[in-house]
Amino acid sequence: MHPALSVIFFTTTAGAGYGLLMMLGVLAPIGILPPDRVFGAVALALALALVSTGLFASLFHLSHPERSWRAMLQYRSSWLSREGVAASVTYLPALVFILGWVGVGNTSGTWGLMGVAASFMALVTVLCTAMIYQSLKTIHEWHNSLTLPNYLMLALMSGGVWLSALVHLFGIQAPTVDAYVIAYTAIAWGLKVAYWNHIDTTRHPSTRRTATGIRARGAVRLVDPPHMTDNFLLKEMGFRIARKHALKLRRITHVTAFAVPLVGLVVALVLQGPVAAGGAVVAALSASFGVVLERWLFFAEARHTVMLYYGEGPA
Amino acid sequence: MTSLPQNETPRKLGLVIDLDICVGCNACVTNCKEWNTGGHSAPLTDLHPYGRDVDGVWFNRVHTFEAGSGRDHRVVHFPKSCLHCETPQCVTVCPTGASYKREEDGIVLVHHDWCIGCKLCAWACPYGAREFDEDAGVMKKCTLCIDRIYNENLNDADRRPACVITCPAGARHFGDLGDPNSAVSRLVAERGGYDLMPELGTQPTNKYLPPRPRRDHAEATGAPDLLEHLDEEDQPGGFLGWVDRLLSR
Ligand code: SF4
Ligand code: SF4
């Protein structure tokens, strides 16, 4: 699949924003994060800025953004529509929670419940995003039960690293945050390894033979494509990445998205002061870069059944 | 409404494509473009039509495949357009309701004024039947010539899809595949018509008829195996014999 930059930008920034919101909405009400108004303002502003820029990026990916309100209508059948509804609903409790934390300096009671609600809606939004991809039977690399947990854990991880960084920059004593984010990163890494292993060792049921129904002996080969130049289908779905390039990018992802952040977070957890803050910031920057790379690969490695008609082998 | 019709549609209009007959001439491709660039989906935009990177919207495309080798070798011309599936994911993924399947005849259409151009339906169609119009920013697709088949200004013979009426070889048939007694359903039953990628559960309405078994034995044509051998001894006599001797000199 063609790795469109707007979609990569949307899913990674919004994912990090929702991950951050998920953590803030729960950790503040249960008292792991203090109701410090400045810290709350910065952390929540970051979360909402990430979410909103992501959503805007996704709107500008559309050729008719002025009609985008219609995308909320078909929630009964479409995961994209459900995502739109969930993303919009998330703003309501999130704004009330902001009012409580930043305006009143209170994250308990009803204000806290609003945080938990925002956190829950952020979770639902991320799950809907993941289901858009996971539900597509045409793409082997997406239509498997690892896509959804991968999306969720990467969102928690990429939001969590920023929470860790903020906590240290504000000099807040909350080692639990580092511990959580270390756990998220480890789980996300394990899931990504499982995901790559899965797509490398399994096959899509469709082949050139099932696609054409041609039953003659021997392999079915394309002699003549329907046209000389690339059409919409080839531009949108014909993207292919060489195996050796993919493997190299996977290695860089292992290092930047998971290994470096883990080291940085452990430094942040066990050490104190500026070194700890430095570790957390390095973890945040590296993870953010790594997740963009991971998302690029998620698209670039995905192969669509229509390519069987253009002479490609099965996915 | 991107939920699929609750009940089975009373009619299932679609195409039957005979791979035994198709010669890959692209007449259907051309007439499809010709009709549809002025019809329901108009225009079928062409980008850089005179440049090097020609691109454009086409609802029907012919691929040519081969399989086997030596005596088993086959070349198959393979026209492909929307199959008007019974349970198409292209419809259910659409967030806006622009994509829909008609209750009355099962035709899958796009309401162009509602489409936001998210292209998710193109990702969901296994067959590559959806065509994005870059210029209009909306998704377009084969309408089964909805503006011909119900068009009362046309005479009966012309109320069929443009690709079907134009096929010079008679490789394309149009009809109601929901009625087991229709001509197309009988053809499918007789010839073993099949679905493309049945494993994906889209349940296409359009069917493909397989190439017939190859006839490569002379008997099958009714001609003798070899012509009778003419012996030197049995030379004709008389006038023909004289002509033969004259010419053989
Ligand atoms: S062929 Fe593709 S576009 Fe047509 S109905 Fe089936 S899934 Fe939808
Ligand atoms: S591109 Fe248009 S028709 Fe296709 S899913 Fe998106 S809104 Fe629906």
Side-chain angles (χ1 to χ4, degrees):
Chain A
M1 298 294 289
H2 172 69
L5 287 180
S6 55
V7 179
I8 292 170
F9 183 71
F10 159 63
T11 58
T12 52
T13 39
Y18 286 123
L20 183 53
L21 191 56
M22 272 186 251
M23 294 188 74
L24 292 171
V26 173
L27 297 186
I30 64 175
I32 289 179
L33 293 173
D36 178 307
R37 289 165 70 170
V38 182
F39 171 72
V42 173
L44 285 166
L46 179 62
L48 285 214
L50 287 170
V51 166
S52 309
T53 1
L55 292 178
F56 269 107
S58 76
L59 289 188
F60 286 106
H61 162 73
L62 302 173
S63 37
H64 283 286
E66 79 284 2
R67 300 176 184 164
S68 54
W69 60 272
R70 286 194 182 275
M72 310 244 251
L73 299 176
Q74 301 300 324
Y75 55 86
R76 269 169 300 178
S77 75
S78 160
W79 283 106
L80 177 52
S81 190
R82 290 171 194 157
E83 182 200 39
V85 174
S88 314
V89 171
T90 308
Y91 277 102
L92 300 174
L95 291 175
V96 180
F97 182 54
I98 292 177
L99 196 66
W101 192 343
V102 181
V104 188
N106 187 346
T107 56
S108 56
T110 315
W111 300 115
L113 276 184
M114 285 297 135
V116 175
S119 182
F120 177 74
M121 284 316 297
L123 171 74
V124 172
T125 310
V126 172
L127 296 184
C128 289
T129 311
M131 282 310 292
I132 295 172
Y133 301 98
Q134 182 163 321
S135 66
L136 292 174
K137 293 183 190 165
T138 45
I139 299 163
H140 178 61
E141 287 77 3
W142 297 353
H143 188 58
N144 61 70
S145 52
L146 285 163
T147 298
L148 186 141
N150 258 282
Y151 251 84
L152 175 61
M153 289 318 295
L154 286 167
L156 274 172
M157 176 192 108
S158 57
V161 285
W162 284 105
L163 180 57
S164 228
L166 287 180
V167 161
H168 284 278
L169 290 175
F170 274 82
I172 293 168
Q173 283 304 315
T176 331
V177 172
D178 293 331
Y180 278 140
V181 183
I182 288 174
Y184 296 158
T185 310
I187 297 171
W189 197 356
L191 283 168
K192 200 69 222 183
V193 170
Y195 169 86
W196 276 327
N197 184 43
H198 174 83
I199 64 171
D200 287 349
T201 53
T202 53
R203 288 218 162 283
H204 193 274
S206 300
T207 61
R208 260 178 273 164
R209 195 171 287 265
T210 67
T212 60
I214 297 171
R215 271 167 282 187
R217 241 178 281 168
V220 175
R221 300 176 295 271
L222 179 73
V223 186
D224 245 345
H227 25 67
M228 312 169 317
T229 52
D230 278 3
N231 58 17
F232 160 67
L233 302 168
L234 291 163
K235 287 175 187 162
E236 184 78 5
M237 282 159 294
F239 189 90
R240 283 295 258 125
I241 177 169
R243 178 83 188 148
K244 67 171 198 284
H245 293 155
L247 289 181
K248 186 180 276 174
L249 290 175
R250 283 186 191 182
R251 282 196 292 273
I252 303 177
T253 309
H254 280 304
V255 174
T256 54
F258 307 111
V260 170
L262 272 182
V263 174
L265 290 165
V266 171
V267 168
L269 179 65
V270 297
L271 298 180
Q272 292 292 327
V275 185
V281 170
V282 168
L285 293 173
S286 179
S288 305
F289 173 79
V291 169
V292 170
L293 204 53
E294 178 278 337
R295 204 53 46 86
W296 191 87
L297 275 173
F298 180 73
F299 282 88
E301 290 194 294
R303 286 172 294 166
H304 193 282
T305 50
V306 68
M307 294 311 294
L308 295 169
Y309 294 107
Y310 288 88
E312 295 262 323
Chain B
M1 242 317 251
T2 60
S3 298
L4 296 173
Q6 292 276 303
N7 305 310
E8 224 178 306
T9 55
R11 298 205 299 156
K12 297 175 187 169
L13 296 184
L15 302 174
V16 173
I17 295 167
D18 193 338
L19 297 181
D20 190 63
I21 293 180
C22 175
V23 292
C25 70
N26 279 276
C28 54
V29 173
T30 314
N31 205 30
C32 166
K33 178 88 169 183
E34 170 68 18
W35 175 263
N36 282 296
T37 202
H40 173 273
S41 315
L44 300 198
T45 310
D46 280 316
L47 302 171
H48 332 293
Y50 304 106
R52 271 204 310 175
D53 298 314
V54 190
D55 189 2
V57 180
W58 297 81
F59 293 163
N60 181 22
R61 301 180 193 261
V62 179
H63 302 238
T64 300
F65 295 99
E66 63 173 355
S69 59
R71 282 169 69 91
D72 292 325
H73 182 254
R74 292 222 65 133
V75 169
V76 180
H77 301 290
F78 187 92
K80 181 168 63 62
S81 52
C82 173
L83 309 168
H84 298 280
C85 306
E86 274 182 62
T87 44
Q89 246 201 323
C90 66
V91 169
T92 51
V93 298
C94 175
T96 59
S99 277
Y100 62 105
K101 183 168 176 72
R102 282 161 52 106
E103 305 259 350
E104 57 272 42
D105 51 20
I107 297 180
V108 174
L109 291 178
V110 179
H111 196 312
H112 301 130
D113 291 346
W114 293 358
C115 174
I116 54 175
C118 69
K119 304 180 188 158
L120 194 54
C121 52
W123 293 5
C125 169
Y127 313 102
R130 295 204 161 230
E131 294 271 326
F132 188 66
D133 185 332
E134 207 65 63
D135 211 36
V138 298
M139 200 55 79
K140 296 184 175 176
K141 67 179 291 299
C142 158
T143 65
L144 209 61
C145 283
I146 193 136
D147 41 7
R148 290 187 70 93
I149 59 180
Y150 294 113
N151 191 335
E152 303 198 339
N153 297 315
L154 299 178
N155 57 36
D156 277 353
D158 283 330
R159 284 189 214 161
R160 290 181 298 153
C163 58
V164 173
I165 50 167
T166 205
C167 177
R172 307 178 69 96
H173 307 269
F174 163 71
D176 179 7
L177 287 140
D179 169 5
N181 296 316
S182 68
V184 279
S185 295
R186 275 185 278 125
L187 194 57
V188 170
E190 259 165 49
R191 292 276 309 281
Y194 60 83
D195 290 348
L196 304 185
M197 291 194 227
E199 65 278 7
L200 296 186
T202 41
Q203 295 181 277
T205 300
N206 287 12
K207 301 283 184 258
Y208 282 76
L209 304 181
R212 290 186 172 88
R214 181 182 182 124
R215 281 175 295 179
D216 52 3
H217 297 292
E219 293 91 352
T221 67
D225 241 6
L226 284 172
L227 289 176
E228 258 175 72
H229 187 69
L230 197 60
D231 260 334
E232 285 293 309
E233 279 94 275
D234 314 329
Q235 279 186 0
F239 175 70
L240 284 179
W242 176 75
V243 172
D244 182 47
R245 283 194 298 279
L246 189 71
L247 294 176
S248 313
R249 241 177 242 158

